[in-house]
Amino acid sequence: MSNLQNTSYLYGSNAVFIEELYAQYVENPESVDPEWRKYFASLGDKASDIVGSVTGAAWKPNDKRIIGAMDRTEIAQQKTKAASTQNNVDVATDLENAIKAANLINAHRTYGHMYVNLDPLGLLNPTYNPELDFKTHGFTEEDLEKNVYLGGTFGVDHAPLKDLIHYLKCTYSTRIGAEFMHIENAEERQWFQRKLEATAGTVSITKDEKFKALQDVMEAEQFESYLHVKFPGTKRFSIEGGENLISAFEVIIHNSVEYGVREFVVGMAHRGRLNILTKVMGKPYHAMFAEFKGELPFPEGMEIPGDVKYHLGNSSDINVNGHHVHLSLTPNPSHLEVVNAVVLGKVRAKQDMREDADRNQVLGVLVHGDAAFAGQGSVMEALSLSQLKAYHTGGTIHLVVNNQIGFTTSPEDSRSTLYCTDIAKFISAPILHVNGDDAEAVVYAAKMASEYRSRFKKDVVLDIVCYRKYGHNEGDEPFFTQPLMYTAIKQKENPADIYADSLIADGLITPEDYQARKQKFKDFLDAEFAISQGFKVMKADWLEGSWSTLEQAQINRDEVETGIKLKLLKEIGAKLCKTPPDFNLNPKIARQLETKLQMITTGKDLDWGIGEALGFATLIYENYKMRMTGQDVERGTFSHRHAVLIDQVNEKHYIPINNLQSDQKCLLELCNSNLSEFGVLAFEYGYSITNPMMLTIWEAQFGDFANSAQVVIDQYIASGEAKWLRMSGLVLLLPHGYEGQGPEHSSARMERFLQLCARDNIQVANCTTPASFFHILRRQMHRNFRKPLIVMSPKSLLRHKLAVSKLEELAEGTRFQPVIGETEKIAAADKVRRVIICSGKVYYDLYEKRAELKANDIAIIRMEQLYPFPAKYLADELVKYKNAEVIWCQEEHENMGGFYFVEPRIEKVLSSINHKCKRARYVGRPRAASPSVGYMKLHLMELAKFLEEAFKNN
Ligand SMILES: Cc1ncc(C[n+]2csc(CCOP(=O)(O)OP(=O)(O)O)c2C)c(N)n1
């Protein structure tokens, strides 16, 4: 009994575990963790007494408490009690030791993970950490046998120091390295403490879970070995060395379904993707084998370039415990980690489509490589979205395949942090580290991760420390660069066999069972391999579900009508200018709204802001949903939007567009974003490829900053449909225009977007009127296909007296005009000596200059859309001016803007109409390294110079 008192802290809340563990130990000492084995052995015969006592009715555990929150009154009472007994303990020492013990416990909770043996290769041994040394906290060797006061922590008042240390080691430094003490939220920290301390570090999973884990890891290993033999040397980025990832995945799916998840969106890079595609996503193995044999993953004749097999996505429906569950793996470019925020956007869109306000039904799971997770800035950008109201998805589960190498680079050269997962700490995500050879620890930690996500709706990271069996890919020689690591890897038994051995040792399976399981799966793969012969994909995996009403776009469609009845426009317009009677509107905005109402009532001089608002509002009125994010979009960087009005007394928000009708079904979700381009644009792209009935818009603060998101533009927006058959109707509004504000506030680098244009992949526009913008926005939803739209949106034109439209230009029967011909009364067409083709804001500079010079014999044509190149519309205009010279005038430098893109296309148009002028002459700023000068004076000089040239007599 005295032994029980000495060690009872171990059993306060985990008696059942300890009892089971001890029973297991008695039966087979090898079957328990070495730490526990050592401990039970040290107790000798007393151990059975302890367990017996623990389960006895007389013993009742105390309430648990966090050591840091010790009750001082209770300490005082304890001291009084102690003083009255024969074993009188010195009160001061008791208090002092209690404080030392508190620090020691805290240190183990905080740093215990550093002593977990995480490396399956045994090369990375935990180094001495003084924080975890009892001596650092003021104890001595002599104190080991002495009782320390614990104040109810772990359910006891006192325990010998040596037992406390043992318990802390078992709990925090044995199989799961848990980092949770950085979490600010006490409830979450306590949840982890309780979880870990209740089991004293014991990893306990059911028999069924064990069998399932064995099957998963075995199938993962067998599939890779099969591919290795059948397709030697072919790149597959095998998961070998980290096969338990598959078990983790399966556990997360099965557990999360129990918590209510019905849909999973997965993002991952190359490593292990083929295994996830088949084993987890349910892509038929024969389809995969056929791809290895050279078949296309989509029907022949689709004429798309496609992508390598370890980048492809997949969707499937599976049944989990009677629940219908949808899984989708997001296609992924080579650029590591860029997929993260795309997945988050997809998750959010799916949650919104399901009206899953609690964000319970759809879960994002992201798989990362260790080097990429630590190295790529996009990881931070995606993580930073996690708690923002516009981007929250109820928490993502992150799985890190930490094979301790990135291509040929070792961790000491690839990160400045202890763990590759440290970046996740800045959002207070808990991180669980496990040894990738420890199948049950992986399963247990995966269960914990899914429970945490479900309970707290926050991100959580599971770091599976493993190894990479081959080189970076299967053709790579790893001994060139990591000879020691690979010598250790060569001698390794695979994780499936390791786990099988342990289950055999526990008597749960026999070696014959295991061989039979393997043989059965091999037979299955053989059968699938046979079917793969001659297998062809007959149907493309796209335009299904909510996309089924859409079709593949064809080049050069006629413009659809996007006008709205004048009466309705006026009704909607008036509502946009009204606020509730008790709303305290800012007086300046009140005046603006009065002016806008005037525009609506008179139908004249509509400015950009009202054109845009009418574009948004009419779509909402027609039951399209809309989502717009970007930096400061609620007001608008240039203060033209004011889509969200702020009450000047109580800061309540009022969104006129969301108050068009009393029973309005569709709303505009308009939110300021964090200061990110990469993460936010990737998120919105993900949103746009998920819900085709929602107009998704991202606005850059200045167009220049879009290049921070260049990877998303190149890898997803421009090429996603060609590579993976994924349509997107995403709109990018990129403020653009030379206004003397310097190199970084002038150009959205239109030339880069134009260079990406081919095969009708994206649309690039540079509108000059509110009506034009109104129509192009509405056109996004009114066609039966979706294409990304990049708009060089205006800055100074937002308030330009000439950049106005009439309400009737938005009315019934109107549509977007890709080319706007001459609008003024000038000389007869055959007397026109020059036609200036231009695009965007420079039109107004040219217009005013022409007026100033009274150059009536010069026509100006505007290209509102640059791509798809509106050749037909341009030809219709140019053909009128048979005797004219043609010039292209732009405000951008010659090596920027549209010139290099339009020049050969204009030449083709001129040739098609047999024009006497063969090519367009360039007029504009000369070639330059920087997008613009930094001084207003120089800017104006440049402007004056090229305007003069545009009108000069030859
Ligand atoms: C942005 C980017 N830079 C470089 C590469 C080239 N690359 C492909 S895989 C790889 C190593 C990745 O290491 P890790 O993240 O640890 O994953 P592992 O391949 O080891 O599973 C590199 C550098 C890339 N794909 N993307």
Side-chain angles (χ1 to χ4, degrees), residues 871-897:
K872 178 168 76 83
Y873 297 91
L874 189 61
D876 289 348
E877 292 303 322
L878 285 176
V879 80
K880 296 176 188 166
Y881 309 106
K882 289 246 179 265
N883 299 318
E885 175 207 17
V886 177
I887 69 167
W888 168 265
C889 182
Q890 66 179 32
E891 60 177 353
E892 298 86 359
H893 290 278
E894 187 179 347
N895 55 323
M896 300 168 198

Side-chain angles (χ1 to χ4, degrees), residues 179-185 188 340 344 368 373-374 376-388 398 417 419-431 452 458-461 674-676 679:
E179 289 188 273
F180 60 93
M181 291 295 277
H182 58 281
I183 304 177
E184 295 91 7
N185 181 307
E188 291 175 44
N340 297 343
L344 302 182
H368 313 271
F373 198 60
Q376 292 289 304
S378 55
V379 172
M380 177 272 175
E381 291 219 16
L383 289 172
S384 66
L385 301 175
S386 72
Q387 294 304 312
L388 303 179
H398 302 265
T417 50
Y419 296 114
C420 62
T421 49
D422 283 359
I423 182 72
K425 285 190 193 162
F426 89 102
I427 55 159
S428 277
I431 300 161
Y452 172 84
K458 288 177 65 183
D459 288 36
V460 51
V461 182
N674 59 333
L675 217 168
S676 147

Side-chain angles (χ1 to χ4, degrees), residues 270-271 334-336 369-373 376 401 403 405-407 468 472:
H270 48 278
R271 180 86 48 218
S334 265
H335 286 61
L336 296 165
D370 52 323
F373 198 60
Q376 292 289 304
V401 180
N403 55 23
I405 191 164
F407 212 136
R468 189 186 69 190
H472 174 58

Side-chain angles (χ1 to χ4, degrees), residues 78-274:
Q78 288 289 335
K79 279 184 242 151
T80 323
K81 221 163 83 188
S84 67
T85 63
Q86 278 205 331
N87 300 332
N88 195 347
V89 183
D90 175 68
V91 170
T93 311
D94 201 2
L95 182 60
E96 199 185 319
N97 280 348
I99 292 168
K100 289 184 209 160
N103 289 338
L104 184 68
I105 293 169
N106 200 45
H108 277 268
R109 284 172 177 162
T110 312
Y111 303 112
H113 52 85
M114 292 172 75
Y115 275 1
V116 180
N117 188 6
L118 292 173
D119 181 12
L121 301 176
L123 300 174
L124 198 72
N125 292 314
T127 49
Y128 171 73
N129 181 352
E131 288 283 343
L132 298 172
D133 189 337
F134 63 92
K135 290 179 193 145
T136 307
H137 297 278
F139 290 116
T140 62
E141 294 281 350
E142 292 79 65
D143 292 329
L144 285 172
E145 299 297 330
K146 289 186 194 154
N147 263 353
V148 284
Y149 180 68
L150 294 174
T153 309
F154 315 129
V156 288
D157 294 329
H158 290 86
L161 179 62
K162 79 166 177 10
D163 292 343
L164 174 66
I165 293 170
H166 174 79
Y167 171 72
L168 290 172
K169 277 190 183 163
C170 287
T171 305
Y172 288 111
S173 306
T174 307
R175 292 177 69 182
I176 295 187
E179 289 188 273
F180 60 93
M181 291 295 277
H182 58 281
I183 304 177
E184 295 91 7
N185 181 307
E187 192 192 341
E188 291 175 44
R189 276 200 315 277
Q190 285 162 23
W191 184 83
F192 272 103
Q193 272 171 216
R194 273 199 295 274
K195 277 255 147 203
L196 295 158
E197 289 170 8
T199 59
T202 321
V203 164
S204 157
I205 65 171
T206 66
K207 229 186 211 178
D208 284 347
E209 286 169 335
K210 291 179 187 202
F211 291 145
K212 165 98 177 101
L214 179 66
Q215 190 69 21
D216 290 340
V217 68
M218 179 275 285
E219 288 185 11
E221 191 276 323
Q222 286 283 295
F223 177 53
E224 296 287 1
S225 309
Y226 197 85
L227 289 173
H228 195 67
V229 173
K230 293 283 185 193
F231 307 99
T234 309
K235 268 194 210 175
R236 64 196 151 88
F237 296 103
S238 106
I239 190 65
E240 283 157 291
E243 288 95 327
N244 277 309
L245 165 76
I246 304 297
S247 313
F249 230 108
E250 288 283 318
V251 167
I252 284 166
I253 290 174
H254 282 76
N255 261 48
S256 303
V257 167
E258 292 306 311
Y259 299 128
V261 176
R262 294 292 174 268
E263 198 162 351
F264 294 83
V265 185
V266 180
M268 68 181 299
H270 48 278
R271 180 86 48 218
R273 197 172 176 104
L274 304 186

